[in-house]
Structures are given as structure tokens and as C-alpha cells.
Amino acid sequence: MRLDGKRVLVCNCEGTMPLDGVALARACGATADKHGLATQLCRAELSRFHDALKSGEPVTVACTQEQPLFEEQREESGSDIAVSYVNIRETAGWSREAAAATPKIAALLAAAAVPVPPLPAVTMTSQGIVLVYGRDERAIAAARQLADRLDVTIMLDRPQDVPGQPLMDLPIVQGRIVGARGHLGAFELMVDDYALPAPSSRRQLSFGPARNGASSRCDIILDLTGGTPLFPAHEKRDGYLRPDPNDPAAVQRALFEASDLTGSFEKPLYVDFHPELCTHSRSRKTGCTRCLDVCPTGAITPAGDHVAIDPYICGGCGNCGAVCPTGAADYRMPPAASLVEQVRALLLAYREAGGRQAVLLLHDAKQGAPLIDALARFGDGLPARVLPLAVHAVTECGAAVFASAFAYGAADLRVLAPGKRRDDLGGLAQQLALTETILVGLGFEAGRVGLIETDDPDQLSAALAALTPREAPAGASYLPMGRSRDLARLAFRHLHKVAPQPVDALALPPGASFGNVRIDAEGCTLCLACVSACPTGALSDDPERPRLSFTEDACVQCGLCRNTCPEKVITLEPRVNFTEAAASARLIKEEEPFHCVRCGKAFGTKSTIERIVAQLEGKHWMYQSGAIERVRMCGDCRVIVQSESKIDPYAGAPRPEIRTTDDYLAERAAAELKASGKKPS
């Protein structure tokens, strides 16, 4: 069939899926194929694929199992037509409810048609220099397996009972790694207790005098110590392999992987960072630390007024993009707007095809897809109303994605994560809680948002079956535009519009990136330090007169204004304001300007100048004899008056005359003469 300018090839996989081609085309709003559905597209009816390539239109094949075959056929034909693939079998057709899954299949096809921007990459180069780090002869045995392909060095940490080596064909040293940094092709190690082996080692391998503070470089680290990993979230560190030394199969898999880590490798540039949008710091005052708090690999570090993201260390979890309040950390796999566009296409197509009570299931390809596959092959499959959407990492999804799902008509949302608790789910849990707070605060039933943590397909099936069917909010159809914050705000306002119990403002948990700033106007001196510190322009002034205004929609609750305020009169109020007033500047404080007594130009505030004069007049030596008038002048006039004056404002009282011994002797002689009554001769 033809859908949105694409040729879509659908196969019922030898009749194992109860598909109705006419009904599916109608549900998709597409033109039905005159030949109907294929039954064996990858074999007997492969000519249909070749005919689609000759059409000159982009092609979508509703099969992922045979993607290698179709790609091989495309290359052999010399075609440069773009071909995309979507799984409708394990996700829908192989299900106990497959007969009712036509709206779901239409939704899956619509989501697959959304274009995804290309992903840039960085290059890592490895020369094959590997450090095998262990504690016993198992490290030596592993190193010997790699020696034919890699440049191997063995480092033993506090070795005991290691037999002496009859042939020192591989370098063996003693050492304890106390610090490590870097990535594949560029590891830097700090080593204590470093020592070379003694040539006279006989029964056991012994070492010479040890020293601390040694350093080393390598391309690959094979850690067989079984101790504490050298890196946080070590499984995400390219080039660092840490199998369980007591598991021979795991060690062999690591050896196989290490042997291939030579050459140049392209790594996706997961995050597009915009430092001008970062709200981390201003004038050495720390504000937002959300990305620093959730990055599991340590790829994000402070760098002055903003942070820096090392693309070589970044593990691609997407936590930073999910929690970043401004979009400075823009996750690119895919960008937030593209992901929300997929959600929109999925839910709109499902709704238009007659589907109801949709449950959006977000999962990753590495862990979630195999569970769904196992559930389809050995269980009941996914229910017809559960719409799976694969993402690179579930932790990339934030409140913008979750709220948008409900705005486009999802009744429930579940995120599928590994059953083994990971250290990078904190940001995801925070964003789910934020979405739940907003939904409940607007009167929707609790429990519409949730996390399913399991590695068992039966547990996944039970969790989905336990969901009570309920109607979705009235779905919108607006186009997603802007960064994550813009997408979230659009979703919030639509949900407010259709909410059972709409409120103008809703309190949010601490740490939320939406909110109000409360300023004690009585204590505010309109110094406007907060305006200079505010990175988003939420706090603004007026160049014509002393005035402080606040725009709530622009506030990301970074806290820089609070931390900068010299009077300490600013507090943060996490909340979401659904009214249109949040988009307009609200006057916080305004005062009459003080006019220069010499030229009449407005400067400062009247109350501030008068307070300063009252505190200094007659009480400070610099402001005696009419000098206090300079406080009542603008900066230009002060300079002019000072240049015209011959009085040094910084001069103190006259210094006393220097007195010598002769002066004291002369005064004493005069006093004695006066006392004697004699006249001076």
C-alpha cells in the first residue's frame, strides 16, 4: 500500500498473523495494494520488494527479521532508495489479541514513517595496547591468549602464590591502580606499589623495591581483579572490560571482544551541547547541577559558567537531556522533538484507526525488545492496546515525552527498564514522578505513569495485564516544536485544558525545573544583581527606570538569583503555572529614580541614595565639608566635580610636625628661664 508518499510492504508471515489488508489500509488512511497482503515476502514474493524499489519512492518493509536479506537484495539491485523497517509481528501480529490489533499496526507503521535526523559521530583510535590487570596466574593466562593480536602488559595487584615464569615473554609488573581516566585508545592510569619482577624469582614470582606515583597509558584495560571497578558505570566505558574472573565463559567473551578493539571506531555524538543555554554558574555562584547529579559515567564536569560534556566518555544514557531545564544538553538519538513526533504519529494513527485506551510502552532495543520477542514467541504477546515504542535508552525520556504522550491521547504510560537496579535510573524516576504529580494535580486518576523493572517476559505480561482499562484524556494534534521545555509546556497546557479538575497553578516537588520566584519587595534594594545573574531572562529590568520584573515561563529554578542576591530576599517556589499570565512579565518592584543634583539625569533609586546619604553624612571623614553632595550626583558628574576640585578626597588630617631632640631641649630651656624670672640674654 501507499502511505504518505511511501510504498509500504506488509506480509502476514506465511499466514501466522490474522491481517486484513483492506481494513489495515483503511485504518492507515492509505491506498490498498492491488495485490493485497504478501504471504511470503522474503521468499516466493521477493519480486514485490524489487518492484517497490523501482517505483522511485521510499520503501517501508513491515518486517525486521529479514532485514539483512532485503538489504542484500537492495545492494545487488544497485538501488539507492531509502528503505526502513518496522516490526509488526512480535509487537502485534503474534499476540493472543492479534485480531483486534489493526489500529495498533496502523500506529506502528505511522510511527516508523517519521524521519529521524542523522547522528554525527566522534572517532576513537586504538593501537591495540592492552593492560591485563589481575591478581593471579589467571591474568597471565588471559594475556597469553591476547599476545598474538595485541600488545600486552600484565599488572598484578598484590600477587600471592603466582608461580615463577620460566620464560618472560610478556612484560609483567606489580602495581595497584589508584586512579584511572580516559576511554578506548586513551586511558591514563595512576599506579602505586609499582615494581618490576626479580630475575631470581624461583618458586613464586617476586618483585623488587616498590614505588608510588607511577603512571601508565594504554588503549584497552582488561580488569580481572574482581574488585571495585576503576570507573563509575563501568559497563558504559568503551575499552574497559571487566568480566567476573571466576566465570571462564565471561572471561573468554571479554578476550574475544578485546581482540577486536584495534583500529578506528566511530562513536555516536549522543549529546549536542549548547553552552550559551547552560545555567550551571554565573560569577562563581553555582546554580543548576541537574546533569552533574544524574550522569552515571562522570562525562559531565563543571567548566566555569557552564559544564563540559566529554563525548568520548559519554555512555549515551540521555539522563542529561531528560533533566536539562533549558535544552543546553540536547540528546540527539533522537532529539526530543523527533521522539515526541514519533509519539504523536503513533497515538494519532491509533486513535484515528478506532483504537481506545492506549498504553504507551517505552523500551530500549537491548533489553526491552528481546523481552517483547520472547513474550510473542512463548506467551500471549502484547495486548492490542499496548503500543511499544523503542528508544535508544529509556533514561533519555523526560517529562516532555511523558506529558506529550498523554496530551496526544495515551491512557497510561509504562517505561520498561532492567530488573537489576542500575545507577542511572534516578533521573528517570524523578521525571516520572513529576509527570504523575501534574496528572494527579489536574484531577486525572493516579497510577497512569509507572516503571516496570523486570527481565522476565512473564512478569512483563503480568504487569501489563494488571493495568485497568481507562479512557484517555482528549487527545490533541498540535505539532511538536522547540526544545524539551517548549514541548513540556505545550503538553501541560493542553492537559490543563482537558483536565477534570483544572487549577491555575500546581505545586511541584523540589528540584523541578518549572516555578516561581518569590522576592521580598520590602527588603529588595533594586540592585538588580539577580537580573545580571539570571541566565534565561526570567528576571528583567527596565533601562528607563528602576524596575524589576519576572516572567515565570522562562524560570528554570536554577537558583542563581537566590545565590547571588546580597539581601537574601529571594526564595524559589517549584510549581507549574498553567495560565497565560505565566508567559508575561510580572512587575515585582518599582521605585522612583533619583535625579542627579548637578545634571538632572536619573540614576539609582531615591530610597537607596537617601539611605546612603543618611548613613554617611557627618559620620565619615571622606564626606565632610559638602563632599556628601557627590553621592547625590551621577557617575559622570562625580568625575567632573572631582577633577575641578583641588581638595584631595582621600587626604586625611594634616600630619604633625616632626620634633627633634633640639626642639625638646629648646622648649625646656625656655620653660626654665621663664620660671626663674630672668630675661633672655
Side-chain angles (χ1 to χ4, degrees), residues 56 81 92 94-95 108 184 207 256 284 302 357 393 397 399-400 428 432 465 467 483 535 567 617 663 680:
I81 295 297
W94 281 359
S95 166
L108 294 172
L184 174 65
F207 295 84
F256 181 78
R284 299 184 180 180
Q357 302 171 337
C397 303
L428 174 64
L432 287 169
L467 294 177
R483 299 184 182 276
E567 284 80 28
E617 190 171 21
D663 295 327

Side-chain angles (χ1 to χ4, degrees), residues 611-641:
R611 184 167 61 251
I612 294 173
V613 169
Q615 291 175 350
L616 296 177
E617 190 171 21
K619 301 176 183 178
H620 196 284
W621 62 268
M622 285 185 62
Y623 297 98
Q624 306 295 329
S625 303
I628 194 67
E629 283 301 297
R630 293 174 188 165
V631 177
R632 297 186 174 99
M633 297 179 189
C634 65
D636 294 338
C637 289
R638 288 177 201 159
V639 174
I640 294 172
V641 170

